[in-house]
Amino acid sequence: MKPLREAQREVIAGVHLMGTERVRIEDALDRVLAEPAVAPGPIPPFPNSAMDGFAVRAADVATTPVTLQVNEDVPAGTVPTMVVEPGTATRIMTGAPMPGGADCVVPVEDTEDGTNNSVTIVSGVPLGTHIRPAGGDISEGEVVVQPGTRLSARNLGSLASIGVAPVVSRQPVVALMSTGDEVVEYTTRDLGPGKIRDTNRVVLRGVLDDLRLPYVDLGIIGDDVEELREAYMHASDVGDAIVSTGGVSMGDFDFVKQILRESGSVEFWKVAMQPGKPFAFGHVKGVPLFGLPGNPVSTFVSFEQFVRPALLAMMGATKLLRPQIPGVMGEDVVTNDEKDVFIRVMLAPDVDGSFVAVKAGGQGSNILSALANSDAFAAVPVGVGSLSAGDAVKLEMFTWGENRGLDD
Ligand code: AMP
Ligand code: MG
């Protein structure tokens, strides 16, 4: 069996980087930045007030109460016209530029009897208080977002603040298909004998939507050489990556090899992981092909461990793997010590706030309901064959954004 991390490395090494394009900020959510986003100027661009209040000279308010003459009102979006001379104050709103001469802002709460002409300061503030300096958020020339970052709404805010449209990687189009003579459309009301509804394509479309990636759904392909050959050829024409489910077990080995003999290559792996041991990886006319096992839980786990990281790598993302956080096993479990086992678990907070994991249901690779009910995987590594209630366990948070590279 191939160790999981080794298999992941081979897959990542076997995919290519997409090209780049500049997109509008509003189209950039979840895209991966390809070139550093550099600030053309400082943010904030000018020193401004952090409070609604009065811009004054700190020396004037060292002893309070003190009554100062009011120069003018400066709402946000306007500019001061007067310098704050000794004995005077300028009424200022949050975000408005600081007037010359002033070196601090007294919040309105610390004043009394403010009129158009005068204000009484009841408690002073030290020099520099409540002033946001120019460049306090971002300095000129600073790299605001690093290449390889998958852009969050917060990153888009930073890009908007510097007015820079990001250069991002093109999105790989994923061609997806389910295979199997027993598989019928999930819309089928009355299942014929021996037939099952196609759940894999529904899950795959969902996880691709999650990645905000475009896909071409090629539907259900029967276990037929010609049908499969045609589907793989078509997939390699329309997709930058091909994801199929089913047909990767030992019995199917030669069948698919034969199909791809002239136009590609594929290897069948036994990955030391559970679920998801059988996995096929190859290329059809240069387009990477991910052959996921047909069992629905295996499909999801294999997508998580191989396809999602590979698609992120194709976009140049630096973080490819989901966060693993420390947790506590809430019950005894026995696992295969030759494999990385991903137990589908539900999480509950312990008295100390740590997560306690209990099985979300049956652990067969066909038990989709347990996966659907789960919050995370309890990741039990190779070499560990059992855990007792109360033992530490790593929780792989498959609903959280990636935070690790392959070497972390
Ligand atoms: P296979 O990998 O083709 O040997 O399939 C393994 C198991 O997964 C079999 O029980 C299949 O019936 C089931 N299976 C395959 N494809 C799907 C699918 N698209 N949706 C649900 N179950 C599937
Ligand atoms: Mg099959």
Side-chain angles (χ1 to χ4, degrees), residues 43-405:
I43 302 297
F46 48 84
N48 64 92
S49 177
M51 300 289 277
D52 293 345
F54 291 84
V56 300
R57 293 167 172 264
D60 281 352
V61 297
T63 313
T64 50
V66 60
T67 299
L68 303 173
Q69 185 193 320
V70 171
N71 299 310
E72 61 176 341
D73 279 14
V74 185
T78 65
V79 288
T81 62
M82 292 165 76
V83 170
V84 175
E85 303 290 355
T88 74
T90 289
R91 184 178 279 110
I92 194 167
M93 296 296 148
T94 306
M98 286 296 291
D103 54 26
C104 65
V105 172
V106 176
V108 69
E109 301 89 298
D110 296 338
T111 70
E112 275 174 6
D113 304 329
T115 67
N116 281 347
N117 303 317
S118 69
V119 64
T120 300
I121 310 294
V122 294
S123 68
V125 294
L127 197 90
T129 305
H130 301 315
I131 298 176
R132 301 162 171 165
D137 179 3
I138 298 163
S139 38
E140 183 176 339
E142 186 178 330
V143 175
V144 176
V145 189
Q146 295 289 342
T149 304
R150 196 159 166 245
L151 297 170
S152 67
R154 291 159 290 126
N155 291 139
L156 299 191
S158 293
L159 292 172
S161 75
I162 60 169
V164 168
V167 176
V168 298
S169 316
R170 284 203 309 112
Q171 296 170 300
V173 176
V174 180
L176 64 106
M177 64 182 105
S178 293
T179 71
D181 282 339
E182 77 281 28
V183 182
V184 298
E185 285 294 345
Y186 70 90
T187 46
T188 307
R189 254 194 53 196
D190 300 311
L191 289 174
K195 304 292 184 190
I196 55 165
R197 293 190 185 90
D198 183 0
T199 58
N200 289 346
R201 250 177 338 121
V202 174
V203 173
L204 286 177
R205 288 196 303 239
V207 291
L208 290 168
D209 283 342
D210 236 28
L211 273 168
R212 293 173 157 267
L213 287 185
Y215 54 75
V216 179
D217 186 345
L218 300 181
I220 300 164
I221 313 299
D223 292 316
D224 170 82
V225 181
E226 275 321 307
E227 217 184 312
L228 276 169
R229 191 200 311 275
E230 201 172 308
Y232 283 127
M233 293 310 128
H234 182 50
S236 68
D237 288 338
V238 297
D240 300 298
I242 304 168
V243 178
S244 66
T245 79
V248 295
S249 313
M250 287 317 282
D252 307 307
F253 195 103
D254 294 328
F255 189 56
V256 180
K257 273 214 149 157
Q258 179 198 334
I259 290 169
L260 296 181
R261 200 169 37 213
E262 290 122 44
S263 45
S265 62
V266 65
E267 274 187 49
F268 288 77
W269 296 350
K270 286 184 195 160
V271 182
M273 88 170 172
Q274 190 182 329
K277 183 174 83 164
F279 176 70
F281 181 66
H283 296 86
V284 185
K285 293 194 273 182
V287 177
L289 161 67
F290 304 87
L292 309 186
N295 273 308
V297 182
S298 311
T299 290
F300 180 80
V301 172
S302 302
F303 184 90
E304 274 287 311
Q305 299 302 324
F306 296 119
V307 187
R308 192 176 153 107
L311 293 170
L312 288 170
M314 289 175 80
M315 293 187 280
T318 44
K319 293 175 177 167
L320 305 179
L321 301 177
R322 302 282 198 182
Q324 288 194 341
I325 62 167
V328 176
M329 207 62 219
E331 62 188 327
D332 297 351
V333 289
V334 174
T335 65
N336 184 331
D337 66 358
E338 293 182 350
K339 295 180 183 174
D340 277 304
V341 179
F342 295 100
I343 307 174
R344 283 71 76 196
V345 295
M346 293 191 290
L347 303 180
D350 204 350
V351 279
D352 65 358
S354 61
F355 284 123
V356 178
V358 294
K359 283 186 215 162
Q363 296 292 311
S365 55
N366 59 324
I367 313 284
L368 187 52
S369 55
L371 174 67
N373 287 332
S374 66
D375 301 309
F377 297 136
V380 184
V382 172
V384 178
S386 66
L387 289 173
S388 304
D391 282 354
V393 69
K394 275 192 184 147
L395 302 173
E396 184 157 316
M397 307 304 286
F398 58 69
T399 60
W400 295 9
E402 282 76 4
N403 72 340
R404 297 183 290 149

